[in-house]
Amino acid sequence: MRIINAKFLLSAQGIDGLPEFGISEVAFLGRSNVGKSSIINALTNHNSLAKSSSTPGKTQLINCFEVIIDNEEEKIPLIFVDLPGFGYAKVSKSMHSIWQENLDRYLRQRLSIKAFIHLIDSRHAGLQKDENLGLYLSEFARADQRVLNIYTKSDKLNQSQKAQLLKIDPNAILVSSSKKTGIDKATKAIYNAVFGVK
Ligand SMILES: Nc1nc2c(ncn2[C@@H]2O[C@H](COP(=O)(O)OP(=O)(O)O)[C@@H](O)[C@H]2O)c(=O)[nH]1
Ligand SMILES: [Mg+2]
């Protein structure tokens, strides 16, 4: 299972600016700087498909990419969506700014989203902000939508820290976008989430 092709499609400010692609969408979300753009680049084997920057909060648009995933039997198109990181604290009530409102509407109303990929910094598992995001998603995720947690920047953990994380979350998927580890496992997990494979 691997992604064999990826291209940028378009950016939009909100759901109103998004066409219906007729293709399942995978929404990547998490705190600013958690590694959203980097993991999209790593999954698609590109250096700068999604812009990655060390300045937090730079991406404030809904950025759509078309990827082709090869499951060894067929080649299936998917839309990967790189989203702005947002505060999420007590989520809905705190979404004051227009782009946070836009993001909220996209997440709640976009029926073509089949998987929410919640990226969590592996060094800081269990942060209140991430707990809030998990709760927020579970508020509106429908039966045909899955939430998948992926832990980023695993190259920053030593063996015992990895073991500790796996103790807390035995199914944890650990990825390092810079060292390109955990990418195959993450690709498979995303595929399974989109297609409802248990
Ligand atoms: N060490 C390490 N740094 C990473 C990794 N992924 C992203 N980063 C760094 O974290 C910062 C934020 O990454 P970015 O993908 O732009 O985060 P985003 O704001 O969530 O899109 C950048 O400086 C990246 O180089 C990783 O797997 N390992
Ligand atoms: Mg980004």
Side-chain angles (χ1 to χ4, degrees):
M1 182 99 58
R2 64 195 184 96
I3 290 167
I4 52 165
N5 203 0
K7 65 172 191 232
F8 173 74
L9 284 182
L10 55 89
S11 297
Q13 272 182 329
I15 190 170
D16 302 331
L18 281 177
E20 283 301 340
F21 297 114
I23 300 174
S24 296
E25 279 161 47
V26 179
F28 289 81
L29 61 172
R31 295 185 303 124
S32 286
N33 229 27
V34 71
K36 291 178 293 295
S37 301
S38 300
I39 201 174
I40 291 178
N41 289 335
L43 287 164
T44 58
N45 203 19
H46 276 67
N47 289 328
S48 59
L49 183 69
K51 286 194 186 68
S52 170
S53 133
S54 46
T55 316
K58 255 182 109 183
T59 330
Q60 299 200 349
L61 290 169
I62 295 170
N63 299 304
C64 302
F65 304 89
E66 182 176 347
V67 309
I68 309 289
I69 190 161
D70 184 347
N71 70 2
E72 267 129 53
E73 279 175 14
E74 49 185 339
K75 298 172 175 56
I76 303 166
L78 287 179
I79 306 291
F80 276 10
V81 184
D82 189 13
L83 293 167
F86 61 132
Y88 302 116
K90 269 290 159 223
V91 196
S92 355
K93 283 182 202 122
S94 75
M95 296 208 180
H96 298 308
S97 74
I98 289 170
W99 64 272
Q100 288 196 349
E101 259 172 55
N102 282 337
L103 186 49
D104 180 56
R105 279 190 57 220
Y106 166 75
L107 293 171
R108 288 175 187 270
Q109 297 175 9
R110 187 76 170 172
L111 301 177
S112 32
I113 301 175
K114 297 301 170 210
F116 299 102
I117 311 302
H118 178 182
L119 299 173
I120 300 166
D121 190 320
S122 58
R123 295 167 298 176
H124 310 294
L127 286 185
Q128 193 59 52
K129 276 183 175 177
D130 283 313
E131 300 285 324
N132 288 343
L133 176 54
L135 287 172
Y136 164 70
L137 292 172
S138 66
E139 237 177 62
F140 56 82
R142 295 179 304 273
D144 68 339
Q145 295 178 315
R146 295 258 289 272
V147 179
L148 177 66
N149 293 342
I150 294 183
Y151 296 85
T152 63
K153 308 191 187 184
S154 66
D155 54 286
K156 301 266 193 188
L157 299 189
N158 61 33
Q159 286 309 322
S160 83
Q161 290 167 317
K162 278 184 196 164
Q164 185 68 26
L165 180 53
L166 286 166
K167 222 180 200 173
I168 303 167
D169 182 353
N171 300 316
I173 297 166
L174 286 128
V175 169
S176 165
S177 299
S178 42
K179 298 270 187 278
K180 303 264 170 18
T181 56
I183 297 297
D184 292 350
K185 197 173 171 189
T187 305
K188 187 133 214 276
I190 291 169
Y191 177 91
N192 289 347
V194 171
F195 296 102
V197 181
K198 284 268 170 350

